[in-house]
Amino acid sequence: MSDSVNENEKFLRERSADIQAMGRDESLRAKSIEWMITADKYKYTYNFTWMGRPIIKFPNDMIAQQEIVWRTKPDLIIETGIAHGGSIIFSASLLELIGNGHVIGVDIDIRQHNRTEIENHPMAKRITMIEGGSTDTAVFARVKDLAKSAKSVMVILDSNHSHQHVYDELALYADLVTVGNYCILPDTFIEFFPKGYYSADRAWDVGNNPWTAMRQFMASRSDFELDPTPVAKTMITESFDGYLKRIR
Ligand SMILES: C[S@@+](CC[C@H](N)C(=O)[O-])C[C@H]1O[C@@H](n2cnc3c(N)ncnc32)[C@H](O)[C@@H]1O
């Protein structure tokens, strides 16, 4: 083994010890959640764009996804929840850098101005958009058909964040994730916000959100495990317990 390989491994081993310790730091976690609640007053997650399109994510979560995509090299990323298109363009741009792969985006309501911008974007060649409810039988059948020749599949479920909807999505889409790849659940952090924070204008709240759906799903599946590392290393994240890795 060359010296540079040894040095790289040593560096990553040392980082891993710090990251695991961070993940166990309850005080840091509490401060991170407090920071997220405070920043949300200003709709912080809406602050960013990727290649010109608004993306509704924390930059940390984008870096975490990038690390997983580089490691797993999916040839297909399936995302529910397109909104302005920033997240499907982000995923497509990672695949563009790798030089292989395609993104399927599903949304119940693709606004014409967003569709036009996405279709005219340099990453459009790596994107297929499907309009319809993500748990609709015909929509899922189409996704499944498009996914049938893919060898490595990642799924990101970022549409309606109610427990039942995310659980229904997991019941359908998790089976498309290939062994070694991930199903990522944004917005599990709702469980850690104050009760009632969202319930006035949303169908989700503490006790009814992607985190509770993840718990129900994980209780019945032995083919997925939670990967704690992306959360431990980001801490400011929408995806607490939201990195589900397919292990068999
Ligand atoms: C949080 S936004 C997606 C954000 C996007 N992934 C990003 O990071 O920029 C949620 C999107 O889910 C869509 N949506 C809501 N309910 C849905 C459903 N049942 N099926 C598919 N999409 C849905 C909404 O139209 C909205 O565009």
Side-chain angles (χ1 to χ4, degrees):
M1 205 180 283
S2 72
D3 284 351
S4 72
V5 171
N6 281 335
E7 280 305 309
N8 283 329
E9 282 185 355
K10 190 169 155 241
F11 175 78
L12 290 174
R13 230 183 1 257
E14 282 164 8
R15 289 309 314 136
S16 169
D18 272 342
I19 289 164
Q20 284 173 34
M22 261 182 81
R24 292 189 297 270
D25 187 333
E26 289 298 326
S27 146
L28 179 59
R29 183 179 162 113
K31 287 189 178 103
S32 300
I33 291 170
E34 190 192 343
W35 186 93
M36 288 189 277
I37 292 167
T38 309
D40 197 63
K41 280 200 303 193
Y42 309 100
K43 298 198 173 9
Y44 176 82
T45 50
Y46 293 84
N47 279 0
F48 304 99
T49 57
W50 186 262
M51 297 180 80
R53 294 307 298 154
I55 181 165
I56 310 169
K57 286 198 190 308
F58 288 139
N60 281 6
D61 287 324
M62 294 160 64
I63 294 289
Q65 184 190 331
Q66 173 276 142
E67 291 190 359
I68 294 171
V69 168
W70 180 255
R71 205 169 64 236
T72 60
K73 307 274 190 301
D75 53 5
L76 180 63
I77 300 177
I78 300 166
E79 294 197 31
T80 65
I82 295 174
H84 306 268
S87 64
I88 53 171
I89 286 170
F90 174 65
S91 294
S93 70
L94 297 177
L95 301 179
E96 175 76 4
L97 285 170
I98 290 171
N100 181 51
H102 202 78
V103 177
I104 300 173
V106 178
D107 200 295
I108 200 165
D109 178 17
I110 307 175
R111 306 271 162 94
Q112 190 52 50
H113 58 278
N114 290 327
R115 180 186 284 281
T116 302
E117 291 293 329
I118 297 163
E119 286 177 351
N120 291 325
H121 196 276
M123 291 303 117
K125 62 186 182 211
R126 294 199 180 269
I127 294 171
T128 299
M129 287 184 282
I130 299 173
E131 186 160 48
S134 55
T135 55
D136 182 279
T137 312
V139 168
F140 180 69
R142 212 171 140 213
V143 174
K144 200 172 166 189
D145 186 54
L146 289 170
K148 66 175 184 280
S149 57
K151 292 185 176 53
S152 178
V153 181
M154 169 184 281
V155 167
I156 303 169
L157 302 176
D158 192 18
S159 65
N160 176 320
H161 304 314
S162 70
H163 175 107
Q164 193 59 51
H165 186 75
V166 178
Y167 184 76
D168 291 346
E169 281 189 328
L170 279 165
L172 292 170
Y173 289 84
D175 285 339
L176 301 182
V177 177
T178 49
V179 173
N181 221 312
Y182 286 74
C183 179
I184 301 176
L185 296 181
D187 292 273
T188 51
F189 72 162
I190 295 164
E191 182 67 9
F192 307 99
F193 271 48
K195 190 160 178 58
Y197 187 88
Y198 286 102
S199 60
D201 58 344
R202 303 287 194 185
W204 44 88
D205 197 352
V206 174
N208 170 21
N209 56 62
W211 190 85
T212 58
M214 173 281 296
R215 295 274 291 182
Q216 187 184 353
F217 174 79
M218 291 301 284
S220 65
R221 300 282 292 235
S222 58
D223 51 345
F224 280 85
E225 70 179 16
L226 294 186
D227 180 353
T229 302
V231 177
K233 64 164 59 176
T234 51
M235 222 28 112
I236 303 277
T237 176
E238 293 186 348
S239 295
F240 284 107
D241 302 325
Y243 291 87
L244 284 57
K245 182 177 183 183
R246 185 148 194 187
I247 52 169
R248 62 176 74 91

